[in-house]
């Protein structure tokens, strides 16, 4: 893995942690100030640091979320890159778990030495719901 690929994976990890911790500043840190986030399945488009934390609002219905990042693929060209990151997003609500199979389709750029997202499209391939087991 190259240092650039590692830096791009760190961007994805900041995004996932920002979502799971409901931390708007951590979420923003994954994006350049005028970046765009689109979730076509939910008819959502948000642009810029002011709007991006709005993605956290619909998640308030869940007790917890847990994003597990998987496969990554990047095409890097100097200070720009495109990529796809696989994710299993777990959403806990009332004894049920909703698992979403997600592919993030991303455009990145490096500015002042730091890689961040310019554009992220969240593709939800499918959802699965199951009962959870309480641990005592």
């Amino acid at each position: 893995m190259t240092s650039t690929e590692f830096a791009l994976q760190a961007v994805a990890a900041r995004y996932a942690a920002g979502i799971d911790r409901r931390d708007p500043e951590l979420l923003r840190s994954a994006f350049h100030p005028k970046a765009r986030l689109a979730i076509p399945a939910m008819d959502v488009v948000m642009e810029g640091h002011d709007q991006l934390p709005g993605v956290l609002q619909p998640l308030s219905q869940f007790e917890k979320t847990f994003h597990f990042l998987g496969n990554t693929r990047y095409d890097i060209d100097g200070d720009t890159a495109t990529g796809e990151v696989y994710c299993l997003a777990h959403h806990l609500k009332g004894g049920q778990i909703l698992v979403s199979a997600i592919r993030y389709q991303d455009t990145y750029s490096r500015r002042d030495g730091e890689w961040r997202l310019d554009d992220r499209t969240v593709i939800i391939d499918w959802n699965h719901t199951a009962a959870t087991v309480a641990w005592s």
Side-chain angles (χ1 to χ4, degrees), residues 29-109:
S29 77
F31 292 90
H32 286 296
K34 296 184 185 218
R36 175 183 168 271
L37 173 65
I39 310 170
M42 298 171 63
D43 198 28
V44 168
V45 177
M46 297 175 182
E47 295 185 11
H49 275 189
D50 290 342
Q51 290 184 6
L52 288 170
V55 74
L56 299 174
Q57 197 285 324
L59 297 174
S60 65
Q61 67 178 301
F62 300 108
E63 297 157 33
K64 295 181 185 233
T65 59
F66 183 95
H67 286 66
F68 187 80
L69 303 176
N71 301 347
T72 58
R73 181 189 48 78
Y74 303 106
D75 293 313
I76 302 161
D77 185 12
D79 287 335
T80 62
T82 57
E84 186 171 64
V85 177
Y86 282 50
C87 174
L88 291 176
H90 302 75
H91 308 82
L92 180 65
K93 181 178 181 180
Q96 293 285 309
I97 188 87
L98 168 68
V99 180
S100 299
I102 293 174
R103 289 177 293 123
Y104 299 118
Q105 296 178 335
D106 298 331
T107 303
Y108 309 85
S109 64

Side-chain angles (χ1 to χ4, degrees), residues 21-34:
R21 295 177 184 163
R22 311 294 197 275
D23 183 334
E25 290 307 313
L26 185 55
L27 177 67
R28 282 187 190 104
S29 77
F31 292 90
H32 286 296
K34 296 184 185 218

